[in-house]
Amino acid sequence: MPRLTGLEVCTAMRANSDFAATTIILLTARAQEADLQRGFAAGANDYITKPFSPRELVSRVEAALAKPLILAAAP
Amino acid sequence: VIQISNWFITLVLLWLAGLTMFLVGLTAAARIVRGLRERRRTRRIERAQPLLYELMDDEEGRIAPAGDDALDILVLALLPRLRGADRTQLCRFLDQRGVLARARRRLDARTAVTRAESAELLGGAGDHEASSEITVLLRDRDLRVRIAAARALGRLGHPSSTPALLAAYLDTDRPIGRGTLGMAILRIGASAAPTLRTGLESELPAARAFCAELLGHLGDLDSLPALLTLLEDEREDTVRANICRALGRIGSPLSTKAIALYLSGEHPVVLRQSAAWALGTISDPKARRSLLNALHDPDTEVASTAAQALLDISPNSLSEASCCDMAKVHADDALSSLRVRRPAFSGAAT
């Protein structure tokens, strides 16, 4: 990605009130635990490391999309 | 002497000021020229846009405007997002225009950026003729070119590229990221599986672990016997952990018994956690007893994964966990997580 890294985009989105509630899933080849922690610290909702299969991506996206709805419905 | 020195210093300062002004002017002029060129390019591309749609309907190949590359730029940008007849049509256009032949010649260009761009272009356009030349670039001296070559081979999707991509994974002199190579092989799809099954017999643990992981992602049921045999014979814990996860992704209950053996305490954490995760993914009720025992695991991550796996099998599976305080904590934790993930189970009892 030119100019910004994915983590920087993630941080910038979280700082912007228009995108603060947007679900962010990081897709990355960085699989170390420290990278994962940095991703979540930047505001990502989920973190998928490459290689991944389309099936796995779909199920993670479904889980991420279901979460805000369920939290909103909770008493 | 002092007076001459002052004159000299003044001259030098004037010269430096002049040079600075000249450089500032030059930079500004370059920026203006670049801006104008960019604007002209954008206008040309906008003018070519309607031609692009005509081109996709042009089955007789009437449209082949010479000279102007604006349409080439549009076609190349659109191509990765297309499938089917439109894609074939646009690839034919690029071939007629000589864009693909030019890119093939540029695969051995002196600059790395040109080699990488050419590989990307040929991969995106699905130019199978360039496959062997792109494979050579997996050993290019520049990392960007090697990455572009791996991605291009993945896009081309020919199973004959799989051995070269696997060899590139094991090449420590000229490495390419495992993520890039893994995604390229997964993009080739099920036809890469026979080579990956052969890779399970490799002498190198890294190769066995990588092949197992990819077979799992492919959900290759045919590799089940080979993976189960390897799980039994394998001595490397990281390979065994990868096999457990692969078996979990394949999802056959035939592997439940073999995986459950690795939940016991004498195995390292990475293996116990992978086994618990795999059993949850398979969701075979026969794994309940082993997973309930794993709730008492001294490692919190393993116990928590086991609790989650029990919930994946059935929301009621955790009811037997209340006998032990820590097991109850993990069970409750897993249940709260499930309430968030699956509202249908929000009434499940611990």
Side-chain angles (χ1 to χ4, degrees):
Chain A
M1 197 178 337
R3 296 198 199 109
L4 288 178
T5 66
L7 281 185
E8 285 165 345
V9 171
C10 189
T11 310
M13 283 177 75
R14 285 293 176 249
N16 184 329
S17 58
D18 289 340
F19 299 109
T22 304
T23 300
I24 300 174
I25 299 178
L26 294 179
L27 285 177
T28 170
R30 294 171 181 271
Q32 300 295 315
E33 201 169 331
D35 300 316
L36 199 137
Q37 281 170 353
R38 267 196 292 274
F40 284 119
N45 298 76
D46 203 352
Y47 192 99
I48 304 176
T49 55
K50 293 180 187 174
F52 60 87
S53 65
R55 278 180 305 158
E56 195 159 345
L57 177 62
V58 168
S59 56
R60 297 276 197 110
V61 170
E62 280 173 353
L65 290 176
K67 205 167 179 176
L69 296 173
I70 298 157
L71 287 175
Chain B
V1 173
I2 291 166
Q3 212 170 2
I4 290 167
S5 296
N6 279 342
W7 268 108
F8 180 72
I9 290 166
T10 312
L11 268 174
V12 168
L13 285 174
L14 278 171
W15 184 80
L16 280 174
L19 185 69
T20 310
M21 294 280 281
F22 173 73
L23 287 174
V24 168
L26 196 69
T27 310
R31 206 170 274 187
I32 290 167
V33 169
R34 213 168 31 236
L36 285 172
R37 206 176 284 168
E38 192 58 39
R39 235 174 294 168
R40 209 164 41 230
R41 184 174 174 270
T42 311
R43 269 202 303 272
R44 277 196 300 126
I45 290 175
E46 278 170 6
R47 272 202 300 270
Q49 191 83 45
L51 262 180
L52 180 68
Y53 301 114
E54 279 182 46
L55 183 65
M56 284 192 270
D57 295 329
D58 178 35
E59 285 171 10
E60 291 155 28
R62 283 173 288 115
I63 302 171
D68 194 347
D69 65 347
L71 197 54
D72 300 348
I73 295 165
L74 276 173
V75 170
L76 288 170
L78 187 66
L79 208 56
R81 285 175 275 159
L82 288 180
R83 296 283 178 277
D86 286 342
R87 185 184 163 81
T88 312
Q89 179 70 6
L90 293 187
C91 288
R92 194 187 306 149
F93 167 77
L94 289 177
D95 202 18
Q96 281 171 359
R97 293 265 301 152
V99 175
L100 301 184
R102 197 162 54 241
R104 279 198 291 271
R105 283 197 300 277
R106 286 180 177 173
L107 283 176
D108 54 4
R110 266 198 307 162
T111 59
V113 172
T114 309
R115 292 197 300 279
E117 280 179 351
S118 304
E120 286 271 4
L121 190 155
L122 292 165
D127 184 36
H128 291 273
E129 279 181 44
S131 176
S132 55
E133 288 152 284
I134 296 174
T135 304
V136 173
L137 293 184
L138 287 173
R139 294 235 349 114
D140 194 278
R141 60 186 176 279
D142 192 291
L143 175 64
R144 290 167 300 178
V145 180
R146 297 199 295 272
I147 290 173
R151 285 159 52 103
L153 289 173
R155 285 210 180 102
L156 289 174
H158 204 276
S160 62
S161 306
T162 316
L165 288 164
L166 275 180
Y169 175 67
L170 299 168
D171 190 340
T172 46
D173 292 337
R174 295 189 168 176
I176 307 173
R178 66 192 293 285
T180 306
L181 289 166
M183 290 310 290
I185 294 173
L186 290 180
R187 200 155 185 160
I188 291 171
S191 54
T195 309
L196 296 174
R197 274 180 238 136
T198 313
L200 292 176
E201 293 162 18
S202 166
E203 287 175 11
L204 301 165
R208 296 196 297 275
F210 193 48
C211 289
E213 184 183 2
L214 295 176
L215 284 165
H217 279 300
L218 287 173
D220 182 51
L221 197 59
D222 289 344
S223 65
L224 193 69
L227 285 169
L228 286 171
T229 307
L230 185 57
L231 185 61
E232 213 177 308
D233 300 341
E234 182 62 56
R235 291 290 161 262
E236 293 280 338
D237 290 324
T238 49
V239 183
R240 286 198 282 198
N242 271 19
I243 298 171
C244 282
R245 287 184 170 266
L247 289 168
R249 286 192 169 102
I250 291 170
S252 167
L254 291 174
S255 48
T256 303
K257 202 174 155 191
I259 298 171
L261 292 174
Y262 293 97
L263 280 176
S264 60
E266 78 260 24
H267 297 294
V269 170
V270 61
L271 192 45
R272 301 202 304 272
Q273 196 177 357
S274 297
W277 180 88
L279 291 171
T281 311
I282 296 170
S283 300
D284 181 359
K286 286 203 292 290
R288 270 183 69 242
R289 181 51 48 204
S290 311
L291 285 167
L292 280 166
N293 289 337
L295 288 176
H296 305 271
D297 196 287
D299 186 275
T300 320
E301 287 294 315
V302 177
S304 166
T305 310
Q308 197 66 57
L310 280 163
L311 279 174
D312 286 334
I313 293 170
S314 155
N316 299 318
S317 296
L318 283 171
S319 55
E320 294 171 41
S322 52
C323 55
C324 159
D325 286 349
M326 271 324 285
K328 177 96 170 60
V329 169
H330 293 309
D332 287 345
D333 186 44
L335 200 63
S336 333
S337 158
L338 187 73
R339 283 199 182 102
V340 171
R341 286 193 298 134
R342 280 188 257 165
F345 293 150
S346 58
T350 47

